[in-house]
Amino acid sequence: MKSMTKILFIDVDGTLTNYENQIPLSAKTAIKMTRARGNRVYICTGRSRAEVYSEIWDIGLDGMIGGNGSYIEDEGKVIFHNHLTQSECRSVVDYLTQEGLDFYLESNNGLFASPNFENGALRAIQEYSKKKGKSNAGTLSVRDAFPDMIFGANLYRDDVNKISYVLQSYSDFEKTAKKFPQMQCGTWGGEGGKALFGDIGVKDITKESAINCLLSHLGAKKEQTIAFGDAAVDIPMFKACAISVAVASGSQEARAAATLTTESVDEDGLYNAFSRLGLL
């Protein structure tokens, strides 16, 4: 790989797309222009493969990191995939069910909801959407937020990248993390005690570990890398890259950890950052 080639890692929700799931034309243009210059572009997201829809792939990408690091794809080939075992999945499902915490399983084959998720997650989904500026947050349904979510399926699966669950309080996360120390436990949808969701995945799998794995596969160096994100979960990605860019609408934690700050998604944040960094 040429030493001057830049390798870009872009978070999806809140960075590439706004929270109406819209991708600005300027972002599409920026990605196409930088790839035309020989740079490589990967999305690096909490989404599983099943949630990366054609509109995103159609921009033109070299690959993806999904499930916050549990899945890596390069030029259409899977180079890494580490998911929960069926036994691990079963133990988490049973625990969350026992605790009365609504959840969904995130798999490359789809999203699978717990029996009461449609009702139990409504408040958290609306609050999450409100935080991200959605104008219809107060009337948004869970099915609006997750149009392809599967209800009523078997939840004891062997293909789950991670499991997200609704926090009734921050103590739910603390208790769950203590229950499953052998797994990677985190939160999302807010900072610290304001988090709306907890998640559970494979231990020591992060966006940072996945980027390091992909760089090794590509024979590339950290000096070539630039990360773009908006949330605390992106901080490991920032650590893995030489330059990191946070969007202005992102969390305070993410902005503090980044090298640079750019405008929000709807203010052409990606395009402007690419321009400032000489990527166009």
Side-chain angles (χ1 to χ4, degrees), residues 95-170:
Y95 172 79
L96 295 176
T97 301
Q98 175 188 321
E99 294 295 312
L101 299 174
D102 299 298
F103 61 90
Y104 67 98
L105 313 181
E106 302 182 45
S107 158
N108 285 4
N109 296 310
L111 305 181
F112 302 89
S114 63
N116 190 52
F117 187 79
E118 186 169 8
N119 295 318
L122 182 60
R123 178 199 60 81
I125 291 296
Q126 291 183 345
E127 181 63 25
Y128 182 63
S129 299
K130 181 180 178 181
K131 284 184 178 182
K132 299 303 180 180
K134 271 199 169 186
S135 58
N136 66 336
T139 59
L140 190 74
S141 72
V142 169
R143 289 181 187 259
D144 289 333
F146 298 102
D148 295 327
M149 183 164 278
I150 299 166
F151 296 85
N154 172 34
L155 298 176
Y156 295 151
R157 303 184 60 87
D158 62 0
D159 61 351
V160 174
N161 297 325
K162 61 189 179 80
I163 300 173
S164 286
Y165 59 98
V166 180
L167 295 174
Q168 297 172 359
S169 70
Y170 191 70

Side-chain angles (χ1 to χ4, degrees), residues 182-233:
Q182 76 280 20
M183 297 184 192
Q184 191 77 25
C185 296
T187 62
W188 57 277
E191 299 175 31
K194 296 181 180 179
L196 296 169
F197 293 87
D199 60 22
I200 305 173
V202 179
K203 189 71 171 179
D204 297 327
I205 294 292
T206 66
K207 291 185 176 185
E208 180 179 15
S209 66
I211 287 173
N212 291 336
C213 178
L214 179 57
L215 292 181
S216 177
H217 169 76
L218 295 173
K221 298 179 180 179
K222 179 177 180 178
E223 300 88 83
Q224 297 172 248
T225 59
I226 307 174
F228 301 81
D230 76 315
V233 72

Side-chain angles (χ1 to χ4, degrees), residues 77-90:
K77 297 179 180 179
V78 178
I79 66 168
F80 178 86
H81 191 195
N82 195 346
H83 51 75
L84 298 175
T85 66
Q86 188 171 42
S87 175
E88 289 171 332
C89 178
R90 178 186 290 269

